[in-house]
Amino acid sequence: MGRVKHSIFRTLYTPPEEVEIKVPYSFLGAPYGDEELEAVTRVMRSGWLTTGMETHLFEEEWRIAHGVEYAYTCSNATTALHMAAQLCQLKPGDEVVTTPITFVSTNQAVLAQGAVPVFVDVDPKTFNIDPEKISAVITPKTKAIFVTHVTGQMCDMDEIMAIAKAHGLFVVEDCAHTQGASYKGRFAGSIGDAGCFSFHAIKNMTTLGEGGMITTNRDEWAVKIPWLRSMGSRYPGDPHEDGTPGPRPYGVDDVDGYIPSNLRMTEAQAAVGRAQLKKLPGYIERRRELAHRYSEALADLPGVTPPYEAVDRVHTYHIYVLLIDPQKAGRSNQDLHAALLHNHGIHTVPGLYRPSYLFELYRKRGYKPTAPVAEWAAENSLQLPLYPHLTNEQADYVIAAVRKELGH
């Protein structure tokens, strides 16, 4: 019997080999340069490869840049979300109000604690959770609200925080798409009880392919996060459980009954993160320029809806999503994807995030379709190539091809 082969590369992000790609859908969301190479070299020559000064400085620089009291690196956004779920002290039977339009990590962190995701439909303009539909699903079992700032634009946080305060709920922000994004002058990850960031290769800034950050303004959580991400190890310089300073003997313990793991980031990743963070404002500016170029050129097409951008927030356009109404546009998102690929060599991605409850993981737990807006958006969207190293000429080529394929 031969080996079973699994390849993460045979996905929608990988076009057929026989197609000549002129405009790729890049799997690298932020370009690297000499600064990142120097950062890795600096770490390798230092002889200190994990949990050192680069990690500390990256956390401090992130904390300042995003206006939060505490920031801690971790291995990825998924582990950040798992820590956040544990900090909320989720237990079996607890309910968490959440969104169906998100990467699967968001709600797997809830399931991992034995808690129950309760899905709320999304705003048809932003694809973010609709705050007007949250209160109706809150019960005495509800413990938290998990929101995802989808595609690079933050949720309606004032409304969400008001609901949470009225019901005594925690709020966790999934900020995997929103490094540097803001809402009414406040940065992603600074409003809820915790913010969880991703530095995966495809994100707006990256740390050697994987990486994450968890932020909080809660003093009592700031004590626990370093233990959760590092095997529950308590060192003499660490504060006690109530936040009072040491000294204390070295020890290992659980955190609120949860068994900690190793969720740390390497020094090389942190050093690269520091270099990327300096470039992030420029990356965001370029993404916004390209997004506005697309939107202004495609907004008049029948059946095509460019991304909505609220005036009170900074959209970072991690993903540029067109909604394609097949009845009005004359063809589906899948048709347009195929035409752009085979006729023009443009690699797009049909669809947004498939609603989480449609996966087998949820179906076998009894979940059924409950969010028609989310389902329609997921089935009728098309992601165009957008990244800082996309040229104006490439963007204009995409625009011309889309217009041609839609008869304009």
Side-chain angles (χ1 to χ4, degrees):
M1 182 175 177
R3 287 198 310 123
V4 176
K5 296 181 180 179
H6 294 277
S7 174
I8 64 172
F9 300 107
R10 293 298 178 189
T11 69
L12 288 172
Y13 297 107
T14 305
E17 294 179 358
E18 65 273 14
V19 176
E20 179 186 357
I21 298 299
K22 297 180 179 178
V23 184
Y25 189 100
S26 178
F27 202 64
L28 180 63
Y32 282 10
D34 292 341
E35 299 87 351
E36 289 81 5
L37 182 61
E38 188 280 327
V40 173
T41 302
R42 181 175 71 244
V43 169
M44 293 179 68
R45 288 174 174 167
S46 74
W48 195 288
L49 301 182
T50 186
T51 322
M53 187 54 65
E54 297 288 350
T55 297
H56 168 73
L57 291 173
F58 185 29
E59 292 170 344
E60 181 66 8
E61 289 160 7
W62 189 269
R63 183 189 71 78
I64 294 170
H66 283 74
V68 293
E69 291 296 323
Y70 305 98
Y72 298 95
T73 56
C74 52
S75 51
N76 49 61
T78 300
T79 54
L81 287 159
H82 281 264
M83 284 191 285
Q86 293 170 345
L87 291 164
C88 292
Q89 298 188 39
L90 296 183
K91 299 292 192 295
D94 288 340
E95 294 178 354
V96 174
V97 177
T98 186
T99 175
I101 296 291
T102 185
F103 188 57
V104 293
S105 298
T106 312
N107 297 313
Q108 286 181 353
V110 175
L111 289 176
Q113 311 310 321
V116 180
V118 177
F119 293 102
V120 169
D121 211 344
V122 300
D123 184 312
K125 294 187 296 185
T126 65
F127 316 129
N128 286 329
I129 191 170
D130 188 341
E132 293 184 1
K133 298 176 181 176
I134 291 176
S135 295
V137 302
I138 293 175
T139 75
K141 295 181 179 180
T142 307
K143 192 74 170 287
I145 304 172
F146 276 41
V147 303
T148 299
H149 306 307
V150 180
T151 75
Q153 181 164 223
M154 290 180 64
C155 298
D156 298 313
M157 291 305 294
D158 282 352
E159 292 89 335
I160 291 167
M161 295 305 295
I163 294 168
K165 183 177 180 180
H167 294 275
L169 308 176
F170 296 114
V171 175
V172 173
E173 300 176 62
D174 184 333
C175 308
H177 292 187
T178 46
Q179 307 95 328
S182 62
Y183 166 86
K184 298 182 179 181
R186 293 171 290 172
F187 285 98
S190 71
I191 302 175
D193 295 284
C196 303
F197 293 85
S198 171
F199 305 129
H200 182 272
I202 205 169
K203 297 303 191 296
N204 288 9
M205 61 164 282
T206 77
T207 53
L208 296 178
E210 297 284 359
M213 187 80 72
I214 182 169
T215 59
T216 187
N217 293 319
R218 300 180 69 102
D219 294 341
E220 71 275 22
W221 285 14
V223 174
K224 299 173 183 179
I225 293 170
W227 298 334
L228 282 171
R229 72 170 178 181
S230 191
M231 287 85 67
S233 299
R234 273 77 157 170
Y235 292 92
D238 287 352
H240 293 270
E241 276 70 4
D242 61 3
T244 57
R248 60 181 300 154
Y250 172 75
V252 176
D253 203 352
D254 62 61
V255 178
D256 296 328
Y258 300 101
I259 305 302
S261 186
N262 179 355
L263 312 176
R264 299 189 300 256
M265 175 184 284
T266 68
E267 281 286 274
Q269 288 176 287
V272 168
R274 295 180 64 202
Q276 289 268 290
L277 181 57
K278 292 182 175 68
K279 298 179 179 181
L280 181 60
Y283 289 160
I284 292 173
E285 182 180 0
R286 178 58 179 161
R287 283 178 173 272
R288 287 175 57 79
E289 288 175 357
L290 289 164
H292 294 158
R293 194 181 193 96
Y294 278 151
S295 294
E296 291 167 8
L298 301 174
D300 67 317
L301 294 176
V304 174
T305 304
Y308 170 79
E309 183 176 328
V311 297
D312 59 359
R313 57 206 79 177
V314 174
H315 195 322
T316 62
Y317 289 99
H318 165 57
I319 301 173
Y320 184 91
V321 181
L322 289 178
L323 277 182
I324 309 294
D325 185 329
Q327 299 301 319
K328 297 178 181 178
R331 64 196 313 172
S332 69
N333 62 334
Q334 294 282 353
D335 291 339
L336 184 55
H337 161 73
L340 291 172
L341 180 62
H342 294 286
N343 298 342
H344 305 276
I346 298 169
H347 187 201
T348 62
V349 175
L352 188 53
Y353 285 123
R354 184 182 182 188
S356 298
Y357 54 71
L358 296 179
F359 289 106
E360 185 63 24
L361 179 65
Y362 293 89
R363 285 205 301 266
K364 66 185 182 184
R365 287 168 169 77
Y367 283 86
K368 300 182 184 303
T370 56
V373 176
E375 291 161 26
W376 194 93
E379 291 174 0
N380 294 281
S381 49
L382 183 71
Q383 301 177 36
L384 299 187
L386 194 149
Y387 34 87
H389 38 299
L390 187 76
T391 67
N392 288 346
E393 291 74 20
Q394 287 176 311
D396 290 342
Y397 179 73
V398 173
I399 290 166
V402 170
R403 296 189 68 86
K404 180 178 181 179
E405 291 299 333
L406 294 178
H408 292 268

